[in-house]
Amino acid sequence: MEILFQNLDLFIFIVLMTLGYSAGTWAEKKHYRSIKKREQELLKMAVVTAEGSFPDDRIAKAELVSGSVVVSIDYFKRLLAILRNIFGGRVRSYESLVDRARREAILRMKEQAKEQGAGMIINMRLETSTIGRSANKKKRVGSIEAIAYGTAIVMNQA
Amino acid sequence: MIMTNVNTVPGKKIVEHFGIVQGSTVRAKHVGRDFMASLKNLVGGELKGYTELLQDSRKEAMKRMEEQAALMGANAVVNIRFATSSVAQGAAELFAYGTAVRVE
């Protein structure tokens, strides 16, 4: 017991790291499974970054749709990224974070378009920004926001 | 009000341009949410509180833009762009801008 109190800060650090690692990995895997499943379901919804042109009489409605998500990184991965900063190279832990955020944002946009009965989304734009407490500090990214927006097109039945 | 982020309103013709309209809002979340978010920061994953906050603020920014466009007598806003910036610690600015037009 004595040893535990003497090394309390180290002990807390280890607990946080294991918690971050186990919970973070579990959450990420679960998130990826749900992303893949929903991507399959929404495969038929075409999303393009081009504007395209349509014959006027075939379009019933055009409307802005958007989806956004804020995702944060776990304690363990943040540590990995700080270590990575020393040696340089690919920062895998952040790659998966950004990838997850963008795909989730696109999915939410697609879901919104589907609710309105749209068949496709044109001129899709993606944006990311860092938010939260660590937003203004260099080299410390805590959480990122991804937004996807575009124009949903509802076609007339020809 | 019709909103699109392309140059035209597909299926309609633009008859009049009114120029740029914009709307912005700066939001911060309350301490409780901030605290929950910092806890969630340990394990990672989606921060639902922040997601909702940003979505609400973006809606607010859009509404302001829409009001401005309505004042000009427009019935559509085309070429809408969004931008986000963090102006201070724990506060974010959401900004939406576009071109007000009248379509037929």
Side-chain angles (χ1 to χ4, degrees):
Chain A
M1 223 39 199
E2 194 95 321
I3 301 169
L4 203 143
F5 277 117
Q6 273 166 10
N7 299 313
L8 196 62
D9 47 351
L10 184 73
F11 184 67
I12 289 175
F13 171 73
I14 291 171
V15 166
L16 283 181
M17 209 170 77
T18 36
L19 183 78
Y21 179 71
S22 51
T25 314
W26 180 76
E28 189 182 299
K29 275 191 183 145
K30 198 177 144 211
H31 193 195
Y32 262 124
R33 269 204 301 276
S34 115
I35 285 178
K36 273 176 191 153
K37 193 174 146 246
R38 284 186 295 156
E39 267 177 358
Q40 280 297 323
E41 281 166 11
L42 290 165
L43 212 58
K44 288 223 169 120
M45 172 86 65
V47 180
V48 290
T49 51
E51 276 197 21
S53 59
F54 304 92
D56 278 2
D57 52 330
R58 286 210 52 201
I59 292 168
K61 203 172 80 176
E63 208 171 301
L64 191 77
V65 284
S66 66
S68 73
V69 66
V70 180
V71 184
S72 110
I73 199 162
D74 62 65
Y75 197 78
F76 178 73
K77 284 192 164 178
R78 195 168 306 161
L79 213 73
L80 277 186
I82 291 169
L83 286 180
R84 190 46 108 184
N85 257 329
I86 302 170
F87 303 108
R90 273 178 77 176
V91 190
R92 285 239 174 88
S93 50
Y94 277 129
E95 281 179 357
S96 75
L97 175 81
V98 182
D99 180 52
R100 261 161 77 195
R102 290 220 178 94
R103 280 161 83 171
E104 178 72 36
I106 293 175
L107 277 173
R108 286 189 184 175
M109 179 188 68
K110 279 183 170 184
E111 274 158 14
Q112 202 190 330
K114 200 184 174 186
E115 269 171 31
Q116 296 177 355
M120 65 190 306
I121 297 172
I122 59 169
N123 204 21
M124 198 264 298
R125 292 285 178 270
L126 275 168
E127 246 167 70
T128 47
S129 55
T130 59
I131 62 152
R133 268 187 193 289
S134 50
N136 290 340
K137 292 178 194 153
K138 269 189 183 162
K139 282 196 181 171
R140 273 194 59 195
V141 176
S143 40
I144 65 154
E145 194 214 9
I147 336 163
Y149 59 100
T151 304
I153 301 277
V154 185
M155 293 283 220
N156 279 332
Q157 294 301 332
Chain B
M1 187 74 69
I2 304 167
M3 309 270 215
T4 69
N5 77 334
V6 286
N7 280 331
T8 56
V9 178
K12 297 207 159 86
K13 277 209 172 59
I14 294 177
V15 287
E16 201 174 348
H17 280 269
F18 295 98
I20 191 171
V21 283
Q22 50 180 302
S24 81
T25 170
V26 179
R27 291 273 181 111
K29 53 265 143 199
H30 61 81
V31 185
R33 259 189 184 169
D34 232 7
F35 179 69
M36 287 306 287
S38 56
L39 279 188
K40 196 80 199 281
N41 254 327
L42 294 176
V43 292
E46 187 187 344
L47 306 176
K48 287 222 173 70
Y50 280 9
T51 307
E52 271 166 33
L53 179 92
L54 288 176
Q55 270 167 359
D56 285 351
S57 332
R58 196 161 290 123
K59 257 183 214 148
E60 173 82 34
M62 293 261 289
K63 216 182 88 198
R64 289 186 184 167
M65 184 177 70
E66 211 179 307
E67 278 163 11
Q68 207 184 337
L71 274 182
M72 288 172 160
N75 65 356
V77 182
V78 296
N79 231 335
I80 293 173
R81 296 282 180 270
F82 290 121
T84 318
S85 55
S86 40
V87 283
Q89 274 196 16
E93 193 212 10
L94 284 299
F95 184 53
Y97 57 102
T99 308
V101 293
R102 194 157 61 80
V103 294
E104 265 167 19

